[in-house]
Amino acid sequence: MPSQHYFLIFFLLLSFQALTSITAKDTDFVRQVNPSLLGLKTKKEKLSHFKFYWHDILSGHNPTSVSIVPPPLKLNTTTAFGLVQMIDNPLTLGPEFSSKVVGKAQGFYASACQSEVDLLMVQNFAFTEGKYNGSTISILGRNPVFNKVREMPVVGGSGLFRFARGYAEAKTHWFDYKSGDATVEYNVYVFHY
């Protein structure tokens, strides 16, 4: 009987040692990487300025912005607190809807304030033009809609905008109170490789 206990203790100690060695290896999950292995040039970052117009169309037969979560009816608010809109908005060179399309803003915005019209903006600017075709710039931030200029952070990107950082300024160019349709001028300043 004692030999069985020794065997069990030996087996448990061996299992514990194996488990701790696996755990020790798992904690070493970070390592230095040569940026050129990821296709990043060893040159300094560039700072680019993008200017385009964002068209949020809620009306008509083919809206680019649709409500996926309406505001709760029980809340008495003028800010539509709780509203969530999914967007696939065109980005154009000029303020006219017919202007040349250079990409789309895809994501959502949500009314995140009970006392003001402040939106949480979560969107990717997915470009379709020139060398930026297929690359994205990601925005995540607060948009106090009735401020003349709103600033939101660039939190990353893909393609030519890997490791991007910067900020976006939004300024309402046109807004229709009846339909909710809007055109917003975006100036995006982004550091990228």
Side-chain angles (χ1 to χ4, degrees):
M1 191 71 153
S3 64
Q4 288 178 341
H5 289 298
Y6 291 127
F7 178 75
L8 181 61
I9 291 170
F10 174 75
F11 179 75
L12 289 174
L13 287 172
L14 186 62
S15 298
F16 180 74
Q17 180 186 9
L19 182 61
T20 57
S21 68
I22 290 171
T23 306
K25 288 179 183 175
D26 284 347
T27 60
D28 298 333
F29 63 94
V30 177
R31 65 184 174 93
Q32 293 288 318
V33 176
N34 183 340
S36 64
L37 293 175
L38 296 176
L40 298 174
K41 299 175 183 173
T42 55
K43 297 179 189 175
K44 291 185 177 185
E45 289 177 298
K46 297 177 251 183
L47 174 61
S48 295
H49 171 219
F50 292 84
K51 180 180 177 180
F52 47 77
Y53 292 85
W54 181 90
H55 300 273
D56 195 39
I57 309 300
L58 285 75
S59 64
H61 299 315
N62 191 24
T64 64
S65 178
V66 294
S67 177
I68 57 170
V69 178
L73 295 175
K74 63 183 178 182
L75 293 179
N76 184 13
T77 177
T78 58
T79 67
F81 178 64
L83 169 79
V84 179
Q85 293 282 125
M86 188 63 64
I87 62 170
D88 188 22
N89 292 347
L91 303 174
T92 62
L93 283 180
E96 301 80 20
F97 191 70
S98 60
S99 185
K100 181 178 182 176
V101 175
V102 295
K104 290 189 168 197
Q106 297 173 322
F108 67 89
Y109 58 82
S111 179
C113 184
Q114 295 182 29
S115 59
E116 300 176 44
V117 182
D118 286 349
L119 303 177
L120 167 65
M121 304 293 292
V122 180
Q123 58 185 332
N124 286 312
F125 295 140
F127 297 106
T128 57
E129 189 60 32
K131 73 177 187 176
Y132 301 108
N133 184 19
S135 296
T136 65
I137 295 174
S138 300
I139 306 292
L140 170 65
R142 178 177 176 261
N143 182 355
V145 175
F146 291 115
N147 288 5
K148 184 175 180 175
V149 178
R150 290 89 67 193
E151 185 177 307
M152 293 164 276
V154 169
V155 296
S158 66
L160 294 176
F161 301 109
R162 290 181 189 143
F163 300 104
R165 66 187 196 291
Y167 67 99
E169 290 182 341
K171 183 170 37 170
T172 302
H173 177 76
W174 171 82
F175 178 70
D176 183 333
Y177 284 94
K178 185 176 180 182
S179 68
D181 294 351
T183 299
V184 177
E185 177 185 316
Y186 269 86
N187 284 279
V188 181
Y189 299 89
V190 61
F191 280 105
H192 61 100
Y193 289 95

